[in-house]
Amino acid sequence: MSALPFDGHAIAPETQAFLASTHQLLIGGAWVEGSGELAVTDPATGLELTRVQTGGAAEVDRAVIAARRAFDGPWSRMTVAERTALMHRLARIMEQHATLLTQLDILDNGMPGFIAGLTTANCVEMIDYYAGAIMRIEGTTTAPPRHIATETEALTYTLREPVGVVGQIVPWNVPLSTAILKLAPALAAGCTVILKPSEETPLSVLALGQMVLDAGFPAGVVNIVNGLGAEAGAAIAAHPGIDKVSFTGSTATGRRIVSAALGNLKKVSLELGGKSPVVIMPDADLSLAIPGVAMATFFLQGQNCMAGTRIFAHADIHDELVAGLAAFAGAMTLGHGLDPATMQGPMISDAHTAKVMGYIEGARESGATLVAGGARLDRPGNFVQPTIYTDCRPDMALVREEIFGPVMAVDPGTGATDG
């Protein structure tokens, strides 16, 4: 394994110790060996951070057995007050190790530090929120009409019950935050969980796994199976012992998960891609709109399903808006997330960088006008300049498809001064 380079920026001793440790699978309340191994790299430098053990169908099966045992046993017998206390305890442990969680997402994902710090704090808040929500899970009782023929009455009521064993497949773009968004409500509802972090960014989820153990959750309530999507992810989607699967990622993978889930008609929740529009009207305050529109696209390197990448600008303010956006993009600092000055970090991988650059080059070939960026930086890591195109037509891939990168398409619109 290579030495650990962070562009001259120090990391906490706890983070250094975590990277140097062995990373296994969490199944049935214990760290166990996997059947494979993957290297985890720093996308800002391209160099190896650590290695994690991985699993496939066999390890998923073991995790399902452990999760079912916990669901049928100690977890279902806990009172709501006991589950609430456990989740609050987990939140306090996460607070104590906030630097570790933040730095792992920076190193593993490449996100700027100001984003990673905010998401870690938000994750603690989400755990506390759902811990309180446990106390508010309740059914309803309604008074039905009497049966006309017999004049008898009936009791009609609803009771909210946990789904059961839940498989949760986490994306790489906001690893810890998305994991908590899935994990916290599932635990609050009384479910047990099998988490599969992305093979690109498993580290903060693995650190979270140890915190779950330290908080005292019963064995098997939370299981973590690292692995490739085509192996561990596919096994989770198809497993007959899993009652629900929650997936965040690409639309193509979402379709495969729906097909795989048909085997036992498991419930499915999907959060897939998007191509969000931003509309700027002629009375907009451009001093506020320009940074807001720019960051809507370039936030998190554009690797965000909510990124506002289609900009519809009224003709009256189009040219001034574009000039301001180009200036903003040109002034953005690209660098390692550990550098406090960094506004935009790297793409997640070489392969994803190539995909984003393909869209950038394709837009130029399609006749769009490049006004900012448009290049991969000639330096270590996967850095793509914040890029802006104008003269974009609705038929262009730049406008129609999710790029998942820092690429903006501006439409001059058809507005007129008197319109």
Side-chain angles (χ1 to χ4, degrees), residues 347-362:
M347 301 289 95
I348 190 65
S349 66
D350 281 334
H352 188 61
T353 303
K355 177 183 175 183
V356 172
M357 289 306 303
Y359 277 104
I360 290 174
E361 291 157 8

Side-chain angles (χ1 to χ4, degrees), residues 158-253:
T158 62
L159 175 66
R160 297 185 183 274
E161 296 179 321
V163 169
V165 176
V166 180
Q168 301 181 335
I169 303 173
V170 178
W172 49 258
N173 63 326
V174 200
L176 181 65
S177 180
T178 314
I180 294 298
L181 276 168
K182 296 179 184 296
L183 180 66
L187 294 179
C191 298
T192 55
V193 171
I194 300 156
L195 270 174
K196 192 203 86 68
S198 168
E199 56 265 36
E200 300 280 6
T201 54
L203 298 184
S204 60
V205 175
L206 291 173
L208 175 67
Q210 184 58 51
M211 295 175 197
V212 168
L213 295 182
D214 293 343
F217 282 78
V221 171
V222 177
N223 306 272
I224 300 174
V225 179
N226 316 310
L228 299 173
E231 297 172 3
I236 288 172
H239 201 290
I242 292 179
D243 302 299
K244 177 183 171 66
V245 62
S246 173
F247 169 77
T248 300
S250 72
T251 302
T253 302

Side-chain angles (χ1 to χ4, degrees), residues 345-401:
M347 301 289 95
I348 190 65
S349 66
D350 281 334
H352 188 61
T353 303
K355 177 183 175 183
V356 172
M357 289 306 303
Y359 277 104
I360 290 174
E361 291 157 8
R364 186 183 296 113
E365 293 168 359
S366 298
T369 301
L370 181 68
V371 297
R376 178 174 183 170
L377 297 189
D378 185 16
R379 54 164 289 181
N382 307 314
F383 292 93
V384 174
Q385 292 176 320
T387 298
I388 303 172
Y389 275 101
T390 59
D391 302 318
C392 302
R393 300 188 310 274
D395 63 317
M396 292 179 174
L398 175 77
V399 176
R400 298 177 63 86
E401 300 177 18

Side-chain angles (χ1 to χ4, degrees), residues 10 33 55 84-85 87-88 96 99 125 130 149 203 207 215 229 231 254 256 284 293 313 324 349-350 380 407 409 417:
E33 290 189 2
T84 294
M87 291 187 67
H88 281 311
Q96 294 165 15
T99 297
E125 292 173 358
Y130 283 104
L203 298 184
E231 297 172 3
R256 291 196 292 271
V293 170
S349 66
D350 281 334
V407 186
T417 304

Side-chain angles (χ1 to χ4, degrees), residues 321-352:
L321 175 74
V322 169
L325 291 172
F328 187 98
M332 290 183 72
T333 302
L334 277 64
H336 202 290
L338 292 173
D339 185 342
T342 292
M343 297 177 69
Q344 181 182 308
M347 301 289 95
I348 190 65
S349 66
D350 281 334
H352 188 61

